[in-house]
Amino acid sequence: MTTPWWQGAVVYQVYPRSFDDADGDGVGDLAGVVRRLGHVARLGADAVWLSPFYPSPMVDFGYDVADYTDVDPLFGDLATFDRLLTEAHALGVRVIIDWVPNHSSDRHPWFTAARSSRDDPRRDWYVWRDGRPGGRPPNDWESTFGGPAWTYDPLTAQWYLHGFAPEQPNLDWSNPELAEAMLATLRFWLDRGVDGFRIDVAHEVGNVPDPPPGVASWPREQDWPGGHAVLRRVRGVLEEYDGDRVAVGEVYVLDQRRLASYVTTGDELHMAHNFVFLRCAWDATAFRDVIAEFTRLAPAPAWPAWCLENHDHPRLATRYDDDGRGPARARAAALLLLGLRGTPFMFQGQELGLPDAVVPPGAVVDVDGRDPERAPIPWERPSVAGPGAGFTTGVPWLPIVDDAEHLAVAAQRGDERSDLALWRRLIALRRESPALGPAGAQTLLEGEDDVLAWLREADGERLLLAINMSAEAVRCDLTALGGGPGRLVVSTDPDRVVATDDIDVLGLAPDEGAIVRLT
Ligand code: TEU
């Protein structure tokens, strides 16, 4: 069996609103993505995952979809999407798109029809229930964004379910016509040539059970039993096509046993994002335990997907910055992400070590306060390109990060000490190294508590990777760690001189990560 492309891929998440704005309206667009594909290709990424670009009222910035088979005029049109696909493929970059099967927008024509009458043929494409006496909702479930998960619709005098905003009514996958209509939207994009899908809240899709007696609240990170059957049907659609089309799920469950159940049967998701990993403290033991547990629960041929940033979470440089060490930790985290067995998913701007932007109260636009991590990419130095930092000639929809002058792509390009140079180096190494590739075995090493260390090996190549997650310098005896002498090939510390002689002891500065080629 040949290795599917996505097992060897580095996937780069593009959040189109904030990537590049080609038409100067302050919001990024697909034409902007097209003209920056070279950046993605030069970085060495193998695929992009595009966050939603569908027609949308933008209550949740595109995760409220009003048409699953078109492009919002704000982002362009289908012709621009096709151009994106063609140009990406010409550069050897695959394209994965976001698919939001759990809910649509309340402006989707399906919902407009559904709410028009209890007898409408589309009524049961959504989840309707009678309220409790006294004008109370069917139960006390809360939505992820806060407030009740039910909204009363006066015209038909029933309540509809929404796990997120009231403008995002849940679709009812137990309805066969809805299921067929949604699966047809997958075929629409597969026929156009997309390489796969990132499935939004994959764990909440499925038959919605009536509230179990006595359960008042809807637990966060709920997964529904019916969801697995839905994902099997999604997989079936992907397998109608050639080319190893891939499904990666956003499975936001914090119990790795349940998480693993989405990827171990071989007929559901190919990969699932691991939020236990994303939510780890900066602590070697915590990371080691998560990796070890997932590896045990999801052994080969199941395949891990690792990510540490996305459009919903504070960026690494900010999240791990409690003592001013965020930037160094973000660099070490690059080595973690790219050095593990599994497919790394990175978020645009992670290669620049971007922190969150400072968003003043008056500039907050997201329902869930996720604006800081969604700040636009600074392509150019503001001193050269003006306040839009090469992202836009207009007024950016969110503030640009404070230190864009030094963090901009143009400022980092050509600087060997930059984060961008480190990412390129690590991705290039990953590409040429059998040990870091899909066939590379992985062994977690026991050693210093504060050092996360692991071995990757294939075809006689042995690489030892180590990250010092403490505030003290440490010395790792390579032989004791299970290695023997070796040669330092990469350090995440820009001040470290990578010498060419063999070492027996690897010294690591606080928050430094390194790769040693064992000899
Ligand atoms: O996220 C689902 C999800 O669980 C998030 O709401 C997450 O808990 C929260 O953002 C943490 O702050 C997906 C999308 O990634 C997100 O952008 C959407 O808002 C959400 O689904 C609804 O579609």
Side-chain angles (χ1 to χ4, degrees), residues 309 315-318 348-350 352-356 375-378 401 407:
E309 287 194 0
R315 286 190 180 270
L316 289 164
T318 301
Q348 64 180 37
Q350 198 175 345
L352 306 174
L354 291 191
D356 286 353
I377 297 300
V401 292
L407 292 169

Side-chain angles (χ1 to χ4, degrees), residues 60 63 103 144-145 164 168 198 200-201 220 250 252 311-312 368 370 374:
D60 191 12
Y63 285 94
H103 45 265
T144 300
F145 295 154
F164 295 88
Q168 294 168 294
R198 176 268 189 185
D200 192 60
V201 286
R220 283 285 336 270
E250 182 203 28
Y252 213 124
H311 62 295
D312 292 334
D368 205 21
R370 297 162 296 186
R374 299 176 177 181

Side-chain angles (χ1 to χ4, degrees), residues 163-174:
F164 295 88
E167 296 87 350
Q168 294 168 294
N170 273 39
L171 292 161
D172 189 346
W173 274 83
S174 68

Side-chain angles (χ1 to χ4, degrees), residues 330-389:
R331 294 169 65 90
L335 188 142
L336 171 61
L337 189 72
L338 294 167
L340 285 176
R341 175 180 171 277
T343 297
F345 285 73
M346 60 182 296
F347 181 42
Q348 64 180 37
Q350 198 175 345
E351 75 280 24
L352 306 174
L354 291 191
D356 286 353
V358 177
V359 180
V364 171
V365 288
D366 179 47
V367 285
D368 205 21
R370 297 162 296 186
D371 305 298
E373 58 264 29
R374 299 176 177 181
I377 297 300
W379 295 99
E380 305 290 339
R381 295 174 184 270
S383 63
V384 174

